Amino acid sequence: VTSQEYKTKPAQNAMADLRGFGIMPDVVAVRTEGSIAPPHGVADKIAIASGVRPEGIIMMPNVDTVYKVPLMVARELGPVLASFTGNDTAPDMTRWQQLVRHDSQTYRQRLTIGLVAKYIDNADTYLSITEALKAAAWAHRSEVTIQWINAETVTDAALSAVDAVVVPGGFGKRGVEGKIAAASYCLQHNVPYLGICLGMQVAVIAAARRGGLAQAGSAECGAAPDDAVIYLMPGQQGKQSTGGTMRLGNYPAVLQAGSRTAKTYGETEVVERHRHRYEVNQAHLAAINAGGIVVSGASPDGRLVEFVEAPTCDYFVATQAHPEFASRPFRAHPLFAGLVQAALKRQKRTKGEA
């Protein structure tokens, strides 16, 4: 809108360019600023200039939640799809309507989860994780606030002010010591913790240091071979530049029966997506176990550590995988749902003690 007038010339020019390439769309989605759709005359004007039927011009004004977009598209595009497919059955949008209610509802139960990360100036970097946390909170009829904690300047005070902690994945040395400190704090103070990819690796390092391996670290960050509890497996050295050491895609894992991880999933065989290079060095399991962490899931052949947990904590679970990729707004991932449940229990217990 310029001077309170909707300008359609940019859209008309774009459509002319498409026709020049031999592309004749059946539908054109027109984005507009503001929350009110333009008058029908605007769509008619674009239709005349573009050769697209008026009903194929979909006006998409701004909405206050992304979950309203499918509802808007279904409403605007429904007649066009029915004509195109010959199927006039209206789609069932009940779940999307429920999501909109979840996203706009004010819940009595509220919790704060600390996300210990290094790219805190760009929340979109961790969008899959924050959305997975939202879905998990909705599953427990609660509302979550993300407290961004800079991994390079993390303090005990910041960690003590949240109900649970998530340490996400990442590459490189920067911020790793802060993430190790966060995992150690949660391990020591029984703060609900979910480690993802690098978040599992720093948890293992924290445990190994607590278990007597004072210089425990990751080969990625320059740890000496004898101290590298996170390492490149034999045969992988020298292949980093080719990508041959990256573990990508779905991998199966077998969970220890009776473990917190298995109880959270409700099964002992799972498949999760991966994107990482370094693995847990099982030669240091004695120190890791002495520090309070045990392996709760591994690859079917036992060579790769996939999950760890702290048996003495109410909820301290970490995985080498990326479970946030399997979370859905309609279906919270078990690991995130378990974290939220533990955080709510801790919150109630803490308030009771106060």
Side-chain angles (χ1 to χ4, degrees):
V1 182
T2 303
S3 301
Q4 303 303 313
E5 181 184 357
Y6 288 95
K7 299 296 184 181
T8 63
K9 199 63 178 177
Q12 295 178 43
N13 290 339
M15 295 304 301
D17 289 340
L18 283 177
R19 289 199 305 275
F21 291 121
I23 299 174
M24 292 295 294
D26 296 299
V27 175
V28 175
V30 182
R31 288 283 292 113
T32 57
E33 294 183 358
S35 58
I36 300 176
H40 289 293
V42 173
D44 294 338
K45 196 173 181 180
I46 295 175
I48 292 171
S50 64
V52 177
R53 293 178 299 172
E55 59 269 27
I57 307 297
I58 301 175
M59 292 298 172
M60 300 191 68
N62 290 342
V63 289
D64 55 6
T65 171
V66 69
Y67 299 118
K68 286 184 178 179
V69 174
L71 297 177
M72 183 190 309
V73 172
R75 182 180 64 247
E76 298 292 332
L77 193 57
V80 179
L81 286 177
S83 174
F84 184 77
T85 63
N87 183 354
D88 58 0
T89 302
D92 183 2
M93 304 300 292
T94 304
R95 292 199 301 175
W96 288 104
Q97 293 166 350
Q98 185 179 19
L99 277 180
V100 171
R101 289 194 295 271
H102 280 321
D103 203 34
S104 59
Q105 184 175 344
T106 300
Y107 292 92
R108 295 181 61 186
Q109 292 188 119
R110 298 185 180 185
L111 70 157
T112 301
I113 295 182
L115 190 58
V116 183
K118 57 183 178 181
Y119 303 119
I120 60 174
D121 293 330
N122 185 2
D124 283 357
T125 303
Y126 307 99
L127 187 60
S128 294
I129 291 177
T130 56
E131 289 298 311
L133 288 170
K134 284 171 60 176
W138 293 341
H140 288 284
R141 300 192 61 79
S142 59
E143 184 174 340
V144 64
T145 297
I146 305 298
Q147 180 63 51
W148 296 93
I149 301 176
N150 192 327
E152 295 184 273
T153 59
V154 61
T155 63
D156 287 359
L159 296 170
S160 67
V162 298
D163 300 305
V165 169
V166 174
V167 176
F171 292 91
K173 185 176 181 179
R174 184 165 67 89
V176 166
E177 284 300 322
K179 294 180 179 182
I180 295 171
S184 182
Y185 180 92
C186 294
L187 194 56
Q188 181 179 349
H189 295 88
N190 193 18
V191 177
Y193 176 94
L194 177 59
I196 297 171
C197 195
L198 178 60
M200 185 187 88
Q201 297 178 2
V202 298
V204 168
I205 294 170
R209 291 180 182 180
R210 287 165 53 89
L213 193 61
Q215 300 301 315
S218 171
E220 182 181 13
C221 301
D226 291 342
D227 297 321
V229 296
I230 306 298
Y231 77 142
L232 284 174
M233 296 183 67
Q236 293 181 323
Q237 289 84 355
K239 298 181 181 178
Q240 295 93 317
S241 61
T242 67
T245 59
M246 286 289 286
R247 194 146 65 99
L248 300 169
N250 283 349
Y251 283 84
V254 178
L255 308 180
Q256 291 291 328
S259 65
R260 167 66 63 186
T261 306
K263 291 177 181 177
T264 300
Y265 272 100
E267 54 188 321
T268 56
E269 295 184 7
V270 298
V271 176
E272 293 286 3
R273 285 175 60 182
H274 290 64
R275 186 181 184 275
H276 71 281
R277 172 173 288 120
Y278 291 82
E279 307 285 353
V280 174
N281 186 349
Q282 297 192 63
H284 294 294
L285 281 183
I288 295 168
N289 293 345
I293 282 182
V294 299
V295 175
S296 56
S299 58
D301 61 8
R303 294 180 65 242
L304 305 175
V305 174
E306 297 283 13
F307 295 87
V308 300
E309 63 182 57
T312 60
C313 293
D314 294 332
Y315 192 89
F316 189 107
V317 176
T319 176
Q320 188 61 74
H322 285 273
E324 70 273 23
F325 295 151
S327 177
R328 297 293 181 269
F330 311 115
R331 185 186 69 254
H333 190 282
L335 293 184
F336 287 91
L339 179 76
V340 168
Q341 183 180 39
L344 290 170
K345 287 182 178 178
R346 180 175 184 269
Q347 187 184 76
K348 291 178 181 178
R349 184 173 64 248
T350 302
K351 289 181 178 179
E353 292 173 354

